[in-house]
Amino acid sequence: MPGFEIDAYDLGWILGTPDEPDDRCLHGHAVAVIGGERFEYDCTVSATALMLLKSLTEDHIAGEGEQMLPCCGHFLVADEGCENVYISGCGNGVDWTVRHENGAVRLITPTGHEVVLPLAEYSAAVCRFADKVAAYYAACSPKTEPTDDFDRRGWLAFRREWSRRRQAAPGGRPTAAGACLRPGLR
């Protein structure tokens, strides 16, 4: 039995359209399996992908900050240098803990179930998910750049952080579809 799997289905934009240049948050039905325990949630899969990419190098404690499967992402809040983003949403979602331990990760579910797996195995699942989300963006029209400074900085930080974290992920480089999230390319 795999220690961790994640996928998403029924991808689309908030209005239910297959393509929406003004919507930057991709939604879908996410399914995560952690040691046989299954979690399903209709969420903002673009935020999920970034949270997962962050968890490749940082611990994530359930209930602290953003959820792993967040309901929504109302605001993309950039740090001062527009290199990292905090995705502010509502309190709804599904969350679990990710702790790094000597080349492995310990995943702890809301029910307390724990699974330890090699970081490379976890990274492969995370990258497959992130690449699927990036491929959906790539198949759609280019996103319009926000005119509001706050929104523009948040969108820039989101793309920069995604690109940096995906390129640095253990196990290789992003697929060509990931180029759609690189600043200046789409």
Side-chain angles (χ1 to χ4, degrees):
M1 164 183 356
F4 178 73
E5 294 177 350
I6 187 162
D7 206 348
Y9 309 93
D10 301 325
L11 301 178
W13 309 103
I14 196 68
L15 296 176
T17 58
D19 192 7
E20 177 55 51
D22 293 328
D23 190 349
R24 289 169 283 284
C25 295
L26 184 61
H27 295 263
H29 185 76
V31 179
V33 179
I34 301 172
E37 195 170 350
R38 185 179 178 97
F39 303 93
E40 295 189 47
Y41 198 73
D42 290 332
C43 67
T44 306
V45 296
S46 51
T48 293
L50 185 57
M51 283 302 300
L52 289 167
L53 288 168
K54 286 182 184 191
S55 75
L56 293 177
T57 57
E58 300 173 11
D59 287 351
H60 173 80
I61 308 302
E64 294 181 10
E66 309 160 64
Q67 301 104 336
M68 295 302 267
L69 303 180
C71 171
C72 50
H74 295 299
F75 301 105
L76 301 175
V77 183
D79 66 0
E80 190 172 316
C82 287
E83 296 299 324
N84 298 291
V85 67
Y86 173 78
I87 302 171
S88 174
C90 69
N92 298 322
V94 175
D95 209 4
W96 59 84
T97 294
V98 180
R99 293 189 189 266
H100 291 261
E101 301 176 352
N102 301 317
V105 292
R106 179 179 302 272
L107 305 177
I108 307 169
T109 71
T111 63
H113 183 76
E114 297 187 22
V115 173
V116 178
L117 62 151
L119 177 59
E121 181 182 329
Y122 179 68
S123 178
V126 166
C127 290
R128 277 191 303 274
F129 184 85
D131 291 348
K132 182 175 185 174
V133 170
Y136 194 90
Y137 275 90
C140 291
S141 301
K143 296 297 170 193
T144 57
E145 289 295 321
T147 55
D148 175 81
D149 188 55
F150 176 84
D151 291 338
R152 187 177 63 257
R153 288 175 49 79
W155 177 233
L156 176 62
F158 176 85
R159 292 178 296 160
R160 282 181 174 169
E161 185 172 6
W162 180 301
S163 180
R164 183 183 73 251
R165 289 183 182 278
R166 179 58 186 93
Q167 288 179 20
R173 296 284 180 236
T175 63
C180 68
L181 290 169
R182 288 191 206 128
L185 294 180
R186 278 198 113 177

